[in-house]
Amino acid sequence: EAQVTQNPRYLITVTGKKLTVTCSQNMNHEYMSWYRQDPGLGLRQIYYSMNVEVTDKGDVPEGYKVSRKEKRNFPLILESPSPNQTSLYFCASRSTGSYGYTFGSGTRLTVV
Amino acid sequence: DAKTTQPNSMESNEEEPVHLPCNHSTISGTDYIHWYRQLPSQGPEYVIHGLTSNVNNRMASLAIAEDRKSSTLILHRATLRDAAVYYCILSSRGGTASKLTFGTGTRLQVTL
């Protein structure tokens, strides 16, 4: 089944403890992206990648890192998480020339 | 990106058609109109997109005003599974832009 898989689905962590949220797609898509969703603010883009080793900042990149070493994977790294990064995170992908993104099921992160 | 305006919420009876409006008076000539929906506890899901002409697919129809300042997503027969938040999004760069700018969408309630 074509899908975007995020892990973990739920995560509670403490301030300052580095964490990685993984994202993997099995559709050979070139574009991948990370969004965060907060009440009243909608979904906002954190980072995106147009292909392997090509990444760029979205609207809210502060406090996040990404890497794209393989086409299928696009992990989101929080080096020193803070409570304001408590949010619902979504990974998305699409192929070049396609108009529709496929989203993962989300990762709910709580930083205490 | 140009802005869209949608009602906060709408209600529909099951098995009846639903017309979800979207205003985008500042749309530019190359902006595509995309619709996504987000079911409870899931990531956004692509529904349909268009540029100037009306579009149909298995999920819905998209009616675009002649001046392109507004559009309407049409669900021909709403079911309980269509209860979701529906987002109308404008995408620049020919519709394959690297970012989707989500607003707060329309929450559709479907009742028996």
Side-chain angles (χ1 to χ4, degrees):
Chain A
E1 181 190 351
Q3 60 186 355
V4 175
T5 303
Q6 296 179 228
N7 280 297
R9 288 294 308 274
Y10 302 91
L11 178 60
I12 301 175
T13 190
V14 296
T15 299
K17 185 176 181 182
K18 180 179 178 180
L19 66 91
T20 299
V21 183
T22 64
C23 174
S24 180
Q25 51 92 5
N26 62 359
M27 298 165 282
N28 202 37
H29 285 173
E30 291 78 17
Y31 282 83
M32 297 187 74
S33 183
W34 276 103
Y35 290 81
R36 61 177 288 175
Q37 185 172 30
D38 301 290
L41 296 176
L43 284 95
R44 295 176 292 167
Q45 190 185 57
I46 304 169
Y47 269 95
Y48 67 94
S49 169
M50 288 179 282
N51 215 323
V52 176
E53 302 291 3
V54 181
T55 63
D56 207 348
K57 296 176 182 179
D59 294 323
V60 289
E62 294 77 23
Y64 304 94
K65 284 176 59 176
V66 293
S67 68
R68 188 90 182 274
K69 293 184 170 54
E70 305 166 284
K71 199 172 186 180
R72 62 183 294 126
N73 296 322
F74 190 44
L76 179 70
I77 303 156
L78 285 73
E79 296 263 353
S80 183
S82 63
N84 64 13
Q85 292 178 298
T86 292
S87 187
L88 180 57
Y89 291 86
F90 289 102
C91 181
S93 73
R94 70 167 175 84
S95 65
T96 303
S98 167
Y99 295 96
Y101 280 85
T102 301
F103 282 79
S105 298
T107 295
R108 186 167 292 281
L109 172 66
T110 302
V111 183
V112 297
Chain B
D1 293 324
K3 190 179 160 127
T4 62
T5 304
Q6 300 176 252
N8 287 334
S9 62
M10 291 184 66
E11 285 187 25
S12 172
N13 294 322
E14 199 177 22
E15 303 292 320
E16 291 187 357
V18 182
H19 290 233
L20 296 161
C22 181
N23 286 320
H24 29 78
S25 58
T26 60
I27 191 170
S28 73
T30 57
D31 283 342
Y32 277 68
I33 302 158
H34 295 246
W35 283 82
Y36 281 74
R37 71 179 185 180
Q38 187 172 18
L39 279 65
S41 302
Q42 294 189 28
E45 174 187 27
Y46 167 80
V47 177
I48 200 166
H49 77 278
L51 181 60
T52 56
S53 304
N54 294 344
V55 184
N56 300 297
N57 66 20
R58 63 174 180 82
M59 290 181 71
S61 295
L62 176 60
I64 302 172
E66 200 167 329
D67 63 5
R68 298 204 336 120
K69 293 185 187 300
S70 66
S71 60
T72 302
L73 179 71
I74 303 165
L75 307 179
H76 296 285
R77 288 177 65 211
T79 70
L80 295 177
R81 288 174 296 181
D82 291 320
V85 178
Y86 287 78
Y87 297 98
C88 170
I89 300 163
L90 301 184
S91 180
S92 60
R93 291 172 55 190
T96 57
S98 57
K99 179 174 74 174
L100 298 173
T101 300
F102 286 81
T104 51
T106 296
R107 183 173 298 278
L108 175 66
Q109 288 183 290
V110 181
T111 54
L112 292 169

